[in-house]
Amino acid sequence: MKKLLQSLFILVLCAFSAFGQERTVTGTVTAQEDGLPIPGVSVKVKEVSNLGTQTSADGKFSLRVPSNGKTLVVSYLGYATKEVAITSGTMSIVLVSDTKSLNEVVVTAGGLSATKAQLGTASTTVKAEQLTQAKPTNVAAALTGKVAGLQLNVIGSGVNPTYRLVLRGNRSLLGNNQALVVVDNVIVPSSILGNLNPDDIEDLQVLNGGGAAALYGSEASNGALIITTKKGKRGSTTYKIGQTTNAEWVSFYPELQKRFGSGADSDVQIYTAHENQQYGPAFDGLPRPIGDPLENGAIQTVPYAYNDSKYKFWNTGVTNMTDFSMSTGDEKSLTFLSAQYLDATGTTPKDAFNRFTLRLNGDRDFGKGVSMAFNANYVQNRYNITTATSSIYDQLMQTPGNIVVTDYKDWQNNPFANPDGYYNAYYQNPYYTIDSQRQNVRNDYLTGNIDLRYKPLDWLRFLYRVNITSQNSSNKNYVDKFVRSAYTKGLGLSSLKNNDIAGSVSDGESFSNQLLTEFQTNINKALTKDLRLDVTLGASLRSNTAKNIGVAASGLTFQGLFNIAARTAANITGSEANSKVNQQAVYGDMRLSFKDYLYLHATARNDWFSTLPTANRSLFYPSVDASFIATNAIDALKDNKFLNVLKFRAGFTTVGNVNLGAYSLLTTFGQASGYPYNNNPGYAIGTQTINPNLKPEKTQGVEGGIDAEFWDNRISLSSTLYYTSTTDQIVPVSISSASGFSSYLTNTGEVTNFGSESSLNVVAFRNTDWEVAVGTNFSYFDNKVKSISDAVSRLNLSTGGNAQVVAEAGQTYPMLRGTDYKRDPQGRVIVDPRTGYPSATESGIILGNTSPKYILGVNLGVKYKTLRLAAVAEYRGGYIVSSSSAGDSFDFSGSGARTVIYNRERFVFPNSSYLDPVTNQYVANTTLTVRDGGAGFWPSSAYNRGIASNYTYNGAYWKIREISLSWDLPKSWLGNMKVVKGINVAAQGRNLFLFVPKENIYTDPDYILGNNAIGINTLSQTPPTRFFGGSVSVTF
Amino acid sequence: MRKLFKIFILGTIILSGSSCKKFLDVNTNPNNPTSATPNLVLPQAIVTSAAAMNAYDNFGAWTGGYKANAGGYGGWGTVWTYNFTTGDYAGVYTDTFAGINQLNFVINNTTPDGPLKYYNAMARIMKSFMYTKLVDQYGDVPYSDAGKGLNNLSPKYDKYTDVYAACFTELNNAIAIMNTAPVTNVTTAVAAAQDPLFGGSATANLVKWKQFANTIKLKMVIRAKNVAALSSFVTSAIASLPTATGDYVNDDVIVQPGYSASTASQFNPRWSTYAWDINGTAIGSGLSNLPTPWIVSFYNGTKLSDNVRGNAIYASFGTNISQTINGNTITFQGPATNQLGYDTEPVKRSQNGSYWYSGIGRSSRPTGTTANAAADVGGVLKGASMGTVLMLASESYFLQAEASLASVNILPALNATGQTLFENGITASFNYLYKNAANVYFNSTPAATLKDNYKTANATSALVNWPLALSDANKLEAIITQKYIAVNMINSEEGFNEYRRTGYPTISAGSTSATATFASLKSGAPAVDKLPTRILYPAVEFQVNSENVPKGVSPYTTKIWYAK
C-alpha cells in the first residue's frame, strides 16, 4: 500500500513537471566496471548552454531543467561521454570507461599527466587487473609478456627471485641498463620494486624510451616504470580481504644419464665406491658397496641401478599471501590502507622468506585551493636461506645415479649421511651443506611522500613534494664447524675428508637513505581559442646516503654457535664503506596543444652531480616530441565507422647516464694485504687510474610511431621504431699493468640500439555476456657495439669459465665469446691423427649474441559474465645461452647426458678431419676413433669441458607465463548477505609450461647472471619452477 | 593566500640557487685516502714485490723438476704438456708489475738527493731486482714507457739488452746514493719498520742493500756473459763489479714485515700456498702437489746422499710410509713422490701441509694451527711467520764461484778461491734450511760441519767435492747442480733458469726414467730434452697492449735470450 502510494506520488510529480516550465531531474552516476558511484561527474543539459552541475560524493545529482532541455551530457575524465535522454524519475546513468584511449589520462614523467593523444612517445599502460591476475609476489614478474620492448630475466632464483628489467635492450656497457623505477612520482631504488605489494598498485605506466622519461634526467635513458599506488575512493568505504596460496614445483630438470655409475679411470670402467665421477661400469642392478667402511666396520650396499632421487631432492614450495585493504573517501579526503603478509618456502629445502607490507595513502582538501596527498609504505622482509645453492646443486649433480641421495637427509643421526660417513670422498652431502651454510637477512624499508598542492588560480598550480626512502638491513652468514673423526682423517681419502671444517661467521649492517625535495609550478592556459599551453617548471634536490659495515671471523669454537666472539683465531676482519651522492636539478616541461589534433611537447632539464668533476658537473638534456591525430584533423577521417583513431608521433631526445658512484674520480690508496703489521701501516696505490675529465654517458635517440584503433575501438594497433646511440660510456678499460695501473676509467665507446615495438589488441568477440580479447606484442632488437676505444676493441663483461660475455666493436651487444674446437677451412673439427682427440682454439671465438632478437608476447582474455580467463604466453628467439658451469660439472662427473651419446665407447669425432702429413691436406675422418670414449674424453678440459661451444645452445623458448581463472560470485548469491559486497575466487598458474629446442638440456634460458653479462647461466640458479594456486577475496 | 605564495617562491629559490656549490661538494672520499707518502708506501712495496716470488717459484717448481701432480687430483693440462697458453703463469708478469708499480710511486715521489734519498735508493734497487727477474723470464719487457700512468697507457716493449743496461745503471745510481752520507736535520732516515728487507737506513743496513745491489749486478753479468747482443754491456759492466767477496750478499736476503700466525692475512704467502690456513685447514696446493723422484734423488743416495738437507726439507724423508689407494695399500720410502705427468693409478697421495713441511727442529711433525705457530721449525716451509726469500746467500756464493772461474773470467781477482766460494754456497744452504721461522739457526752442529759431512758422504762425487771437478766445465756443473739443489722450493725458478743457461743439472734427454730427467711424461715439447723454453706474455697484454707485445713467441721453440 505504501509503495503504491509512493509510485502514485511520483507519477503525479512527473506529470506536473512535464507541464511546468521547469522540472527537477535527479539521478545517480555509477561506473560500469565496479558499480560504484562516481563523484564529480559533469552533468550538462545539451540544449541549454551553461546549465549543468556535478555529482556529489555519492554520485548523485539534481538539476532544474527548463522544458526545452531534453538531453543530459554526462562526462567524466577517463570515461566515454554519454548523452542520455532525460526521463522522469531518478535516472540511473552508467558510465563506461573510455575505450577511445586517446582521452585516457596517463601519468607521465615528473608526476605530470597527459592524455594519450598528447603523447609523442611510446608508453604502455598495465592495469592493476593485468598485474595481479596471476597473483605474483613481485611486480616485475607480472610484466613479462605484457609490454612490448621489455625484457625480463631472473637473476637470482629461490624464494624471492630478483629480476632484471630492461627496456629496448642494453645500451650501457658497464653501467646500469635497468629501467628507472618511480613510485608515486618519486624515483626509488630498484630494490623497492620487488618489495611492493602488487595489490597496492592502481596503474603502471611503462615509458619505453629515454624520450618519455627525459624529464627524470640522468636516470631516464633506460626508460621508466611509473607506478601509481591506490588512493581511496570517494563516496563509499570498502574493505577487502584476500588469501592466495601458491605451490611451486621444479619445472625443468637438466638432462642426465641413467646408465653408468661410480668410477674415474681412463680406458677402463672400474667401479670405485667413494667416487663422485660416474665413469664406472654400466648399471647392472646388482648390489654393490658404496663409500668407505665406517669406524665400526659398517658399509652401505645399494643396488647398482639408476634411481631418480636427484629429482626428488627439490621440495614443493608454498607461498601464502594474505591481503587486507580499506578504501574510503568523502568530499574532503581520501584514504587507502593496506597490509599484506607473504610467507614463502622454496624448492630448495629449508629456504624461507617472508614479507610484510603496510601502506597508508591519503589525500586531503584543505579548501581555498590547498590540498595535500601523502603515501607511507613500510616493508620488512626476512630471508632464511642457504648461501651454498650452487655447491648444493653441484653436489647433487655430481651424485652417481645409483646413490639414493634423499636417504641422507638426516645427517645428524644417520652415520652414513654425516660428513664423516658420507660415501663421497670429494663432495659434501648436499643436505649437510644446506644445514651448515646459511644466511639470515633482514631488510626494512620505509618510504614516505608528501605532496602539498596549491592552486590559487584556475590555470596556476604549485606543488611541493618531499620524499624519504630508507632501507635498513642486516645479515648474518655462517658456515658451521665440523670436526671429523680421527678415523675418517686417517683414511687419507681426499682433502675434503682429511680436514675438519673450521666454520666461519660474518655479520653486516647497512642502511641507505634518499631525501628528495621538489618544487613545481604549473601553468595551464588557453592562449587562443585553438591553442593551449601547459608549462611546468620545477626544481629538485636529491641526496643519497649509504653506509655498510661488516665483521667476519673464521674458525668457530662451537658447532652451532655463530657469533663473532666465539672464534678460535685471534683476529676478526672488518670493513666499512660510506657514500653520499647529491644531485640538483631544474627542469621544464611544455605542452602546446593545437585544437584536438596537434600536440607539441618539449622538455629540458639541467642536472648537477656531486660525483662528477667540478667542470663537468652540469648536464643539460633537451627532448622534443609531437603527435598528430589524423582522425581529428582530417575531415574525411572524422567519424569514420571503421577507423576510429589514427595518430602519428615522433620524438627526439638526449639524456645522460651518470654511471659513476661516489668518490670515483681519484686513484685511492689502501692498506696492502696483511697491513698493518706490528702497528706499521703500509699503503698501496690503487690499480685504477682515472680520466680527469670524466663526463656522463650520453644517449641520443629518435623514435617514431603510429597508433590506430579500428572497428569501434575493438582493434588497437601501436607500433614504434626507435634508434638510440649511447656514447661516452664510462668504462674501466683494462690497460697494460706495465703502465702503472691495470685499469683506466674513462669515457669511451658507442652502442647503438635499433628496434621496433608493436602491439595489437583485438576484442575478437563481445556481447552482453561474453568478451574475448587477444593481445600480442612483438619486439625486435638490434643492439650493436660500434666502438669501444682506440686501444681496446673488446670488453669482458664476465670473468671465469670458458665463455665470456663481451662487448666487442662491430658486433651485436652483448656477445658471447669462448673457445671452440680447432677447425679446418671447411669447418670440420681437426683431430690428432695419433689419438683421434680434437683440440681447443687458443683464444675465444665469437659464439653468438646472448640477448633475444625477438620477443613475442601473447595475451588472451576471455570474460563470461563475471568469469574471467586470462593467459599470457611469451616467445623469445634469436640468441644463445651458455650453461658452461652446469655443463662442466655434469661432464666432469659423468652425470651429463652428453657423456653417454657414444655409450662411453671409443667413437669417431663427428664431422672431423685430420691433417695428412704427406699431402698437407685435411682429410675427412671416418675411421679414427678417440683413444678413450669415457673418462679420458668427457672430463677432459682439453677435449671437451674446456670447449665453450659444447655448452652454448639456442636460447629460444615458448613459455606459458600465466593462466588464471577468476570468478566474481553473482550478486544474487550474496543477496541476503548485506555486509558482503563481492566475493572473488580464482585459480592461477605462472610459468606453467616451457618449450625449448632439443639442444637445451640445461635450464630455462631466462635464468642468468646479474649485471650486463647476460647470457651466462650458472649452478647458482636452482632449477626453474612453475607455480599453481588459488585465491579468494572478499569485499565488504 | 599571499603568504603561501611567497613561501612557494622562496622554496624555489632555495632549491635552485644559493646552496648549489656547497650541496654538491660532497665527493671527498671518507673511505680511502687519495694521497700517500713514500714512507707509507715503501714497506708494502717491498712486501708486495716479495709476494711475486711465489709465482716465480711455482713456475720453476713445475717446470724445473721440483714438483709434480699428486694422486687424487686432475685437470693438469698445460702444467704437464708444457703447451703454455697466455693464461699460464700470467702471475709472473702481473705480480711483478704489481710490485714495480708500487716501487715507482716511491721513486717518483722522492729524489736522489732530497730528504727521502734513501727511500729513493732502496726503491731503485728493488725495482731493478724485479726487472731482472722479469727479463730473465720474458726477454723484452716494457721499461722506458712503463709506469707513466695517464701519460702512456700502452707502454712499448724495450729490448732486453736495453732493460738490462738500464737496470745496471739504476743499481749503480742507487749504490751511489747510499754512499752519500745523511745530511743532519735534512735527511729522513728509513725506520726499521719501513724497510722489511734490511731494517732501515742505518749504516750497517745500507751495507746490506749495497751487497744485494752488487749481487744482482753480478748475476746480470753472468747471465749476459755469453749473449752476443750484450757483449759490450758485459765488458763495461765487469769494470764496475767490486772484487771483494765481502761486497756481495753473505746472508740470506729475506723480506720479513712481521708475518704472523695469528692473523689470516699476515701469513707468509708461500706458507699459505702449501701448508695450512689459519683454521688449520690443509691447503689445496700442498695436497695436490708432490716432490719428484728426480729432485729427491739428490738427497736419498740415488744421485747424492744428503740426509741432513733431505730431512730438513721433506716430511717422512727416508722412512717407510704406507698409503691406501683405491683399496690397495702400498708401502714406500718417504717422501711420497711422483713423476710429472704420471697419472696411472696408483698415484701417490700427498698429506696435510704437504711433503715440504718436515717439522724439523721438533721431535714430531706438528700439523694444523700448531704448525702455523711453530716458530722453531726449519726446512723450506718453516711456519706461517717465516720470511720470504728474495735471494739466498748460497746463490750469491755460487754466482761468485762461477764468476771466479778462469774460463768465465768475470771476477778473476776476487779475494776468495773458487773452492771456498763453492763450499760457502753449500754451507749457506745448510744454514738456511736449519734456520727457523724467526731466522735463527738451531742445528747443534754448525752448518760448516754439516757441509764437511756432506762432502764425506759423497766423497767420490765431483758435484760435491771441488777438487774432483777437474775442468772448468766440471766445476760449472758442480756449481750449478749445487745451486739447483739449494734453491729447491725456495727460488725454484733460478734452478730452471740456470738449466736453460748451462744445461745443468745433467739430464738424460728424452728418457722417461723418473730420475734420469725431470721432463714431464706428457710433454708435448719437440725439443730434445722435452722441456719448454719459456712462458708466454700474459693474455691481458694481447688484449690491451697488442700493438706492442712481441708476437710469435712459442713455449716450445722460442728460446729465452740467455739459453744455451
Side-chain angles (χ1 to χ4, degrees), chain A residues 513-526:
Chain A
N513 190 16
Q514 169 176 284
L515 290 172
L516 178 138
T517 59
E518 189 168 18
F519 181 72
Q520 269 182 11
T521 306
N522 175 268
I523 296 162
N524 188 341
K525 211 168 173 13

mmCIF file of all heavy atoms in Angstrom, chain A residues 513-526:
data_model
loop_
_atom_site.group_PDB
_atom_site.id
_atom_site.type_symbol
_atom_site.label_atom_id
_atom_site.label_comp_id
_atom_site.label_asym_id
_atom_site.label_seq_id
_atom_site.Cartn_x
_atom_site.Cartn_y
_atom_site.Cartn_z
ATOM 1 N N ASN A 513 69.668 5.764 2.319
ATOM 2 C CA ASN A 513 68.657 6.752 2.601
ATOM 3 C C ASN A 513 68.594 7.741 1.445
ATOM 4 O O ASN A 513 69.626 8.169 0.947
ATOM 5 C CB ASN A 513 69.076 7.462 3.892
ATOM 6 C CG ASN A 513 67.982 8.342 4.411
ATOM 7 O OD1 ASN A 513 66.837 8.211 4.007
ATOM 8 N ND2 ASN A 513 68.333 9.245 5.298
ATOM 9 N N GLN A 514 67.398 8.032 1.005
ATOM 10 C CA GLN A 514 67.248 9.051 -0.029
ATOM 11 C C GLN A 514 66.312 10.143 0.481
ATOM 12 O O GLN A 514 65.234 9.865 0.986
ATOM 13 C CB GLN A 514 66.650 8.435 -1.293
ATOM 14 C CG GLN A 514 66.224 9.491 -2.309
ATOM 15 C CD GLN A 514 65.723 8.866 -3.586
ATOM 16 O OE1 GLN A 514 66.493 8.398 -4.402
ATOM 17 N NE2 GLN A 514 64.414 8.834 -3.754
ATOM 18 N N LEU A 515 66.763 11.361 0.342
ATOM 19 C CA LEU A 515 65.916 12.503 0.689
ATOM 20 C C LEU A 515 65.720 13.302 -0.574
ATOM 21 O O LEU A 515 66.679 13.556 -1.297
ATOM 22 C CB LEU A 515 66.601 13.392 1.721
ATOM 23 C CG LEU A 515 66.747 12.820 3.112
ATOM 24 C CD1 LEU A 515 67.604 13.726 3.960
ATOM 25 C CD2 LEU A 515 65.373 12.632 3.742
ATOM 26 N N LEU A 516 64.484 13.671 -0.841
ATOM 27 C CA LEU A 516 64.218 14.396 -2.066
ATOM 28 C C LEU A 516 63.236 15.515 -1.779
ATOM 29 O O LEU A 516 62.249 15.312 -1.080
ATOM 30 C CB LEU A 516 63.647 13.424 -3.095
ATOM 31 C CG LEU A 516 63.254 14.001 -4.434
ATOM 32 C CD1 LEU A 516 63.689 13.056 -5.539
ATOM 33 C CD2 LEU A 516 61.771 14.230 -4.544
ATOM 34 N N THR A 517 63.523 16.680 -2.287
ATOM 35 C CA THR A 517 62.523 17.742 -2.254
ATOM 36 C C THR A 517 62.391 18.269 -3.660
ATOM 37 O O THR A 517 63.364 18.306 -4.412
ATOM 38 C CB THR A 517 62.899 18.898 -1.315
ATOM 39 O OG1 THR A 517 64.144 19.432 -1.750
ATOM 40 C CG2 THR A 517 63.003 18.461 0.118
ATOM 41 N N GLU A 518 61.199 18.654 -3.990
ATOM 42 C CA GLU A 518 60.938 19.051 -5.361
ATOM 43 C C GLU A 518 59.867 20.132 -5.337
ATOM 44 O O GLU A 518 58.962 20.112 -4.507
ATOM 45 C CB GLU A 518 60.434 17.830 -6.135
ATOM 46 C CG GLU A 518 60.317 18.038 -7.613
ATOM 47 C CD GLU A 518 60.106 16.723 -8.340
ATOM 48 O OE1 GLU A 518 59.729 15.736 -7.696
ATOM 49 O OE2 GLU A 518 60.333 16.694 -9.560
ATOM 50 N N PHE A 519 60.021 21.071 -6.223
ATOM 51 C CA PHE A 519 59.042 22.135 -6.303
ATOM 52 C C PHE A 519 58.639 22.324 -7.753
ATOM 53 O O PHE A 519 59.496 22.348 -8.632
ATOM 54 C CB PHE A 519 59.640 23.427 -5.732
ATOM 55 C CG PHE A 519 58.684 24.561 -5.770
ATOM 56 C CD1 PHE A 519 57.613 24.599 -4.909
ATOM 57 C CD2 PHE A 519 58.831 25.574 -6.708
ATOM 58 C CE1 PHE A 519 56.701 25.638 -4.961
ATOM 59 C CE2 PHE A 519 57.915 26.623 -6.768
ATOM 60 C CZ PHE A 519 56.841 26.649 -5.896
ATOM 61 N N GLN A 520 57.319 22.427 -7.983
ATOM 62 C CA GLN A 520 56.825 22.564 -9.359
ATOM 63 C C GLN A 520 55.824 23.698 -9.463
ATOM 64 O O GLN A 520 54.993 23.884 -8.572
ATOM 65 C CB GLN A 520 56.077 21.291 -9.775
ATOM 66 C CG GLN A 520 56.916 20.247 -10.428
ATOM 67 C CD GLN A 520 56.069 19.053 -10.842
ATOM 68 O OE1 GLN A 520 54.839 19.099 -10.822
ATOM 69 N NE2 GLN A 520 56.733 17.990 -11.226
ATOM 70 N N THR A 521 55.915 24.418 -10.548
ATOM 71 C CA THR A 521 54.901 25.417 -10.868
ATOM 72 C C THR A 521 54.298 25.023 -12.205
ATOM 73 O O THR A 521 55.041 24.713 -13.141
ATOM 74 C CB THR A 521 55.549 26.802 -11.029
ATOM 75 O OG1 THR A 521 56.295 27.075 -9.859
ATOM 76 C CG2 THR A 521 54.498 27.873 -11.236
ATOM 77 N N ASN A 522 52.985 25.042 -12.259
ATOM 78 C CA ASN A 522 52.338 24.633 -13.496
ATOM 79 C C ASN A 522 51.375 25.716 -13.975
ATOM 80 O O ASN A 522 50.586 26.260 -13.206
ATOM 81 C CB ASN A 522 51.578 23.325 -13.272
ATOM 82 C CG ASN A 522 50.787 22.917 -14.483
ATOM 83 O OD1 ASN A 522 49.614 23.259 -14.602
ATOM 84 N ND2 ASN A 522 51.426 22.202 -15.394
ATOM 85 N N ILE A 523 51.509 26.025 -15.231
ATOM 86 C CA ILE A 523 50.582 26.972 -15.852
ATOM 87 C C ILE A 523 49.875 26.252 -16.975
ATOM 88 O O ILE A 523 50.528 25.671 -17.847
ATOM 89 C CB ILE A 523 51.329 28.197 -16.405
ATOM 90 C CG1 ILE A 523 51.982 28.965 -15.249
ATOM 91 C CG2 ILE A 523 50.395 29.098 -17.208
ATOM 92 C CD1 ILE A 523 53.062 29.898 -15.691
ATOM 93 N N ASN A 524 48.568 26.268 -16.951
ATOM 94 C CA ASN A 524 47.803 25.586 -17.981
ATOM 95 C C ASN A 524 46.732 26.556 -18.458
ATOM 96 O O ASN A 524 45.766 26.820 -17.768
ATOM 97 C CB ASN A 524 47.182 24.314 -17.372
ATOM 98 C CG ASN A 524 46.547 23.460 -18.424
ATOM 99 O OD1 ASN A 524 46.250 23.931 -19.532
ATOM 100 N ND2 ASN A 524 46.328 22.197 -18.100
ATOM 101 N N LYS A 525 46.929 27.113 -19.625
ATOM 102 C CA LYS A 525 46.092 28.233 -20.046
ATOM 103 C C LYS A 525 45.832 28.155 -21.541
ATOM 104 O O LYS A 525 46.728 27.803 -22.308
ATOM 105 C CB LYS A 525 46.835 29.544 -19.726
ATOM 106 C CG LYS A 525 45.930 30.705 -19.386
ATOM 107 C CD LYS A 525 46.786 31.815 -18.815
ATOM 108 C CE LYS A 525 46.114 33.076 -18.574
ATOM 109 N NZ LYS A 525 44.944 33.552 -18.517
ATOM 110 N N ALA A 526 44.634 28.513 -21.905
ATOM 111 C CA ALA A 526 44.337 28.598 -23.329
ATOM 112 C C ALA A 526 44.851 29.940 -23.831
ATOM 113 O O ALA A 526 44.504 30.980 -23.293
ATOM 114 C CB ALA A 526 42.842 28.481 -23.568
#
